[in-house]
């Protein structure tokens, strides 16, 4: 898919999810960041990017995403819990 459409956000996000599930958090972060270049406000991708940082113990980077996300979406319990942890 990416060969035909290299900026296809769902494919980039799915590659990030696959990398994360495989424990390759650095690769996951790269894919999520790339996806966000084409869909900057996407809350799900932002959360996944924060999780990638969190799982690498890059807590300041994770918090810089989770803080605004939690304020924008007060019902997002996952963002609030990660931010509190």
């Amino acid at each position: 898919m990416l060969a035909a459409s290299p900026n296809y956000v769902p494919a980039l996000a799915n590659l990030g999810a696959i990398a994360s599930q495989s424990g390759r958090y650095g690769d996951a972060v790269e894919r999520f960041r790339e996806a966000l270049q084409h869909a900057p406000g996407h809350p799900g991708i932002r959360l996944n990017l924060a999780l990638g940082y969190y799982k690498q113990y890059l807590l300041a980077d994770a918090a810089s995403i989770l803080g605004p996300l939690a304020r924008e979406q007060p019902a997002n319990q996952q963002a609030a819990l990660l931010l509190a942890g």
Side-chain angles (χ1 to χ4, degrees):
M1 183 63 173
L2 288 174
S5 183
N7 300 331
Y8 187 59
V9 172
L12 292 168
N14 285 339
L15 285 174
I18 291 167
S20 184
Q21 289 172 354
S22 300
R24 298 183 348 261
Y25 303 118
D27 291 338
V29 164
E30 288 181 38
R31 294 294 79 82
F32 293 135
R33 289 184 68 176
E34 189 175 353
L36 283 174
Q37 289 176 354
H38 306 289
H42 194 286
I45 297 171
R46 289 168 58 204
L47 179 61
N48 286 335
L49 175 60
L51 283 168
Y53 285 134
Y54 188 87
K55 289 180 180 183
Q56 294 180 85
Y57 301 100
L58 300 171
L59 303 181
D61 292 325
S64 73
I65 296 166
L66 291 168
L69 188 58
R71 284 189 297 278
E72 293 164 16
Q73 297 184 328
N76 188 330
Q77 293 178 353
Q78 191 171 15
L81 287 172
L82 286 169
L83 190 57

